[in-house]
Amino acid sequence: MRFVVVAVLAGMTLAPLASAQKLELKFDALAAKASEKAEVDLDGSILKLALSQVPLKKDKDDKSPIADLLSGVQEIHLRNYEFEKAGSYSDTDLGPLRKQVSEGSGWSRVVNVKEKDESAEVFVQTQGGKVTSCLVLAAEPKELSVVYLMGTLTVAQMKELVDSNVVYNLAALMEKPSK
């Protein structure tokens, strides 16, 4: 889960995000093979509700700056799959998603890191001179993470968000058992 939080932060720092054409994250076959999975979809009112449950520090004027920081973020989609053994999935399992990006208007890969058994890619979609979406793919031999963000967040807002505790509290919310 820590990796997903780091991936979200990395994707959000790349550029401001705005509304865009939505990607379809269909990983039913991967999810069926996974020994553990986490799939999180926060959009619209659900995102606002999740943020309202996070205990946040208030500034000197007794206001919660996090609501303002995240007001432009429209959607956050996370997929994390862990597998019992290496080789349970392959790079081709990401083919349909990569095809959507390659055929979609305005998408560019801005980061491509490949090591012996690991890889990370970051794609951004631009439209009208603005970055409108961000997609992060991170693969390890026994783990695959996908982070897809839509919305508006400036670099200055991102710095404030990183300095706050909201991301860690959101991660903790996902780990709490439901009552």
Side-chain angles (χ1 to χ4, degrees):
M1 180 55 78
R2 209 175 270 166
F3 175 78
V4 172
V5 171
V6 170
V8 168
L9 291 175
M12 291 171 105
T13 59
L14 289 173
L17 304 169
S19 61
Q21 179 182 351
K22 189 171 180 174
L23 297 176
E24 293 185 32
L25 304 179
K26 294 185 179 182
F27 297 113
D28 295 338
L30 280 173
K33 295 182 213 176
S35 57
E36 294 183 34
K37 72 175 182 175
E39 297 176 333
V40 179
D41 294 299
L42 300 174
D43 58 354
S45 61
I46 295 172
L47 181 59
K48 288 179 185 176
L49 178 62
L51 291 173
S52 73
Q53 301 301 310
V54 177
L56 303 171
K57 295 179 185 176
K58 296 187 178 195
D59 65 14
K60 60 185 175 191
D61 298 324
D62 202 37
K63 294 181 182 175
S64 177
I66 300 301
D68 291 334
L69 286 177
L70 297 179
S71 64
V73 176
Q74 297 169 348
E75 298 182 20
I76 300 173
H77 301 277
L78 309 170
R79 303 290 184 267
N80 183 263
Y81 304 105
E82 293 184 26
F83 304 91
E84 289 290 326
K85 59 183 179 173
S88 295
Y89 75 96
S90 72
D91 196 53
T92 58
D93 290 315
L94 294 172
L97 182 57
R98 284 192 180 106
K99 183 176 179 181
Q100 286 181 67
V101 172
S102 68
E103 292 178 353
S105 174
W107 282 98
S108 299
R109 183 168 59 186
V110 295
V111 174
N112 183 22
V113 178
K114 294 204 185 273
E115 296 179 3
K116 182 179 178 184
D117 293 331
E118 300 178 6
S119 67
E121 296 174 272
V122 178
F123 299 86
V124 294
Q125 183 183 38
T126 59
Q127 191 174 45
K130 294 184 179 183
V131 174
T132 56
S133 293
C134 179
L135 174 67
V136 179
L137 305 176
E140 298 178 14
K142 294 169 50 174
E143 185 173 3
L144 175 66
S145 297
V146 177
V147 180
Y148 176 45
L149 304 166
M150 293 177 66
T152 303
L153 189 65
T154 66
V155 175
Q157 289 172 318
M158 186 58 215
K159 182 188 179 319
E160 288 182 50
L161 180 61
V162 169
D163 291 343
S164 75
N165 63 353
V166 69
V167 174
Y168 301 102
N169 287 332
L170 280 174
L173 273 176
M174 293 187 291
E175 294 172 1
K176 287 183 183 179
S178 57
K179 296 180 181 179

